Amino acid sequence: MDRRKFLTQAGLVSAATLTGTACTRSPADEAKPDLGVSRFGHPVATEGGLDEQGVWQKTPGIRTAYSRCFSCYNICGLRARIDEKTDKVLKVGGNPYCENNSGSPLPLSMGVKQSFMALAGEAGLQNRATTCAKGASCVDSVDDERRVTQVLKRAGKRGEGQWVTISYEQALAEIINGGDLFGEGHVDGLRALRQLDQLVKPGHPEFGSKANQLFATFCAEDTLRGSFYARFMQQAWGTVNLGTKHAYCGAAQATGYSLGMAAGFEEWLNDVDWENVEYGLFMGTSPGSSGVSLNRVGRGLADSRVERKFKYVCVDPLLRTTVAADTNATWLAVKPGQDAAFSFGVIRTMLEEQWFNRAHLENPSVVAAKAAGELNYTNAGHLVIMDEKHPRYRQFAQAKDFALGGDEALIVKSGSKALMSAESGDKAELFVSQRVRDRHGNRVKLVSSLYLLRAEAQRNSMESYASQSGISVADMRQVAKDLAHYGRKACVAGNGGTNSSDGFVMGWIWAVLNTLVGSHDAKGGAIYGNGPIGGMEGNYDLANVEGGVSLDGIVNACRDGAYEASTEYRRKVEQGKNPYPASTPWHELLPAMNAAEQWTSHANADPYRAKVLFNWRNNFLYSAASISQEVVASIADPKRLPLIVGIDCHMNETNRYADYLIPDRSMLEEYAADRMWGSHKQGVVAASPLVTPRTEKNEAGLHICMEQLLIDLALQLNLPGFGKGALSRNDGNKADLLTFEDWHARYLANVASQCEHLPKVTDEDRLWAGLDYAMKPLQPRLTATEASQVEALLSRGGYYVDDARYDGEFVKGAEPKCLQLYHQEVAQLRHAYSGENYPGTPTLQAHKFWNGDTWESHWPKSEYPLLFSSYKATVRSNYAVAYKRIAEISPTNFVYMHSDTAKEQGLVDGTSVRIVTANGKPCVGTLQTDTGVAKGAVCVSHGFGHTAGFGGDDRLINGKMLAALSERAGGVAINQMIPADPTRHGPASMLNDYWTGANCRHGIPVRVEKA
């Protein structure tokens, strides 16, 4: 027997092993594995294998199912193996139906048994469906030794780590009714706090009612469960203060990118068309390092290197592993926070050398684009009024003012000097600056959008851009030349790796560069997923609450709104005063409800303080860059924040301050229907509980979780939107919302009803997808039709549309867009401190504080000679330390520095060093020196140093000490090291993007010294 045949029959073909599937000759005769061996022991039982007749059979006692991974926010598909006797998840791999897990996903028409068979043997390599180390390690999430499964009440001071277990019913009563709960004096319960008829800040109606003194934070990435949480907080309770992590993640870049794509303010980022891309420019990252599925990008990158000799450039302070030798890849070591300087060097070169897609840019309307065989059109030739005294200064000239049409924009017809309506169907002249007379005889200065962008790029010399960025003029010119050469098969991408005071500018730049080469929605260019399938509408109306609280026009504690609509502004104007500066930051451009900024407002009691915090699956005290120690102090003090309720599987750095910690379901114990990051195809990743939830039950016999807590609170407080008949059906009937399953069944039914070509489920599918187990809690709550649709959705771990990818040279399904090189809506906004208009095009400015002072003026290079940059570790997320295998694979992080820089600073490789900023909390880590770091840079990855959460700290529960697990505390946490803005008023401050208010974490001036 040759080696290949032996391995095949033994079920150990390497591809099958890697994907988590293997076949055996006879599962019935297979020796039982020792499931107690956790490391280097016997392999776990396989899903199935060949019987004596050569027929595939499922292994007795092993249930298989498709699920979804929530080990990071890319949300890929999983296939799981469960031991039914022990009720344990044995192993997970990738879902072969899901594009995120497979470069060539299986069709939904293929049966579930056949999908497992396709992953074994000779076909396993082609059909492999992978999951990264985070996904493969998520089996540890269920039975983690430091998981919270019982209701805890603090027994000592907040943050001391002393707890007692209490009944769910006691916690519910105390949270609602309050009292002297901790021997520290009276605490108001929820019943006393919901005052919808009283202003939270008297005289300032824009801030709404006292119900807003409930501050809630949550994980919005879990769309099914997150929408339930938002229903309770916003529509039922009536608080506008529902905070997320977006503003300290990638929302600044996503908002900036959207400015290049549409006239509104949204959040939008692109992906790479890995099927045909030939050139990539990655800003602040490298392929697969963050932002999209490592599984999908890994295969896409590998195939692109081999099949098309993919050329790509990574502009990043740190050399990542994917920029490897002999791969046609280049690393450009940019100085942290100076990405915009490099980008403007590229833009200036492209515009001066005419290295751009003229045929694309000249189309000013959808009519012109269609005539030219284009999908999108641009406002490159749209004319902007640049007379300061004109009533429409910085806005697009309108055709009607020149007797040439209506409200549409104005252009100069290409090759002439004639003014035309942008809707005429003519092409536009691109570089225009001239004075013309309007229909009233007034001379008006009109300048084209592309002219304004070129003027901005020409404000600085190429040598200046090189000096600022650390990247040579020759390298900037080469990137510009390559972008133009590859054109539509080039893509510029990034994701959160450039969060400095100009984060939104960087996102806009990425969009603009893709516009200049015409790669938006193009075959081989910048592509956009066709969108997730949401579950708020369909058979059930889950979006609306009868009698719910309206929050229209209410401004949250972050002041995410227009300063000009505030009481403060109005009063200053009435008193004849200059309304600028505002007393504290307002940000209209990015209404992301920054969870860290809302707690900065609380610490300052401006505009008001919270009286209760609900924190579900959020960890802002750890995750938010530049979080103030004053914020920590305000949360730790019961006099400043009377009540805290944490809801989670784990005790983290934030909910360790909770008064009550309510256990929640883990990712493998919940239903899900989420969007994917990394997949082009329209679809949704779906999941059902794989094992029995480990949380204890309440007196009604229901497992404790976030949903059950909020339902019971709503019922006892008589809040709208919950209880008997709380959900409206599209047939006019009502459905109940009394349990966890009530919401999840209806959400999944809504999603499934929108899936047009669900597969027909067979009995064999039910067996191999574990559908009897998944459907049992849902079946009584659904009609027969709904149940069959949901069953089909769960049978493949989601719904993945497998239609044609392209329509000619563009992605199929893409809608025509007016790509924005100048954004007139943004140009009308004013900064709440200076009163200056926001830029109408991307702009390069020195990093600035809220009051306009430069960082350098407060943090001089003589005192802080180095620049800091953080990044995401490839196989680590903020909470993956709770997975035992992750702590083994990735135990620590390091402080990375160029060897020459370390020598200049008198530092030695391998020693302990302290990173110091102007007013942040210094952090200590181990120095590693290399040449793969930009000179003058200090780079440290996020996701480590959990000395105060996830079991990295001591806990005393019911008088029993649970000692800290040292492996969970490995490495250094860096976010509290980021300094705060010294120009803001109040004891607490944050360092934010000058334009949007998102948190900064790159380009921070630091010094590094021996610890």
Side-chain angles (χ1 to χ4, degrees), residues 109-143:
S109 58
M110 178 180 284
V112 180
K113 176 181 177 180
Q114 284 67 40
S115 76
F116 280 94
M117 293 170 61
L119 295 168
E122 296 295 332
L125 183 61
Q126 174 62 32
N127 297 321
R128 64 182 178 185
T130 58
T131 186
C132 75
K134 289 176 291 189
S137 300
C138 74
V139 293
D140 298 332
S141 66
V142 176
D143 294 306

Side-chain angles (χ1 to χ4, degrees), residues 878-935:
N878 296 349
Y879 44 88
V881 68
Y883 306 161
K884 185 181 289 291
R885 292 168 177 83
I886 286 295
E888 294 172 351
I889 294 169
S890 183
T892 190
N893 60 352
F894 296 93
V895 177
Y896 288 112
M897 191 182 296
H898 193 283
S899 304
D900 293 346
T901 304
K903 187 176 181 180
E904 292 169 1
Q905 301 297 313
L907 302 171
V908 179
D909 179 76
T911 59
S912 183
V913 296
R914 179 185 294 106
I915 306 175
V916 180
T917 60
N919 56 40
K921 181 181 179 181
C923 62
V924 176
T926 302
L927 179 67
Q928 279 203 352
T929 62
D930 202 329
T931 56
V933 187
K935 290 186 177 182

Side-chain angles (χ1 to χ4, degrees), residues 47 275 333 355 362 375 493 535 560 578 587 829 920:
E47 292 96 339
E275 299 298 313
W355 289 343
E362 286 179 332
L375 172 66
D560 288 339
N578 181 353
H587 294 287
L829 302 181

Side-chain angles (χ1 to χ4, degrees), residues 36-101:
V37 179
S38 61
R39 289 181 53 136
F40 312 116
H42 301 299
V44 298
T46 60
E47 292 96 339
L50 301 174
D51 64 14
E52 294 297 333
Q53 287 73 44
V55 178
W56 260 78
Q57 301 290 345
K58 202 162 80 66
T59 302
I62 298 297
R63 178 165 29 94
T64 53
Y66 285 115
S67 184
R68 75 88 160 86
C69 183
F70 205 63
S71 298
C72 73
Y73 297 139
N74 295 329
I75 307 179
C76 303
L78 295 178
R79 68 182 187 283
R81 206 182 309 175
I82 304 102
D83 185 289
E84 294 189 298
K85 182 176 180 180
T86 62
D87 194 30
K88 289 182 180 291
V89 180
L90 300 177
K91 194 170 184 178
V92 297
N95 182 347
Y97 294 110
C98 177
E99 187 184 22
N100 262 17
N101 301 98

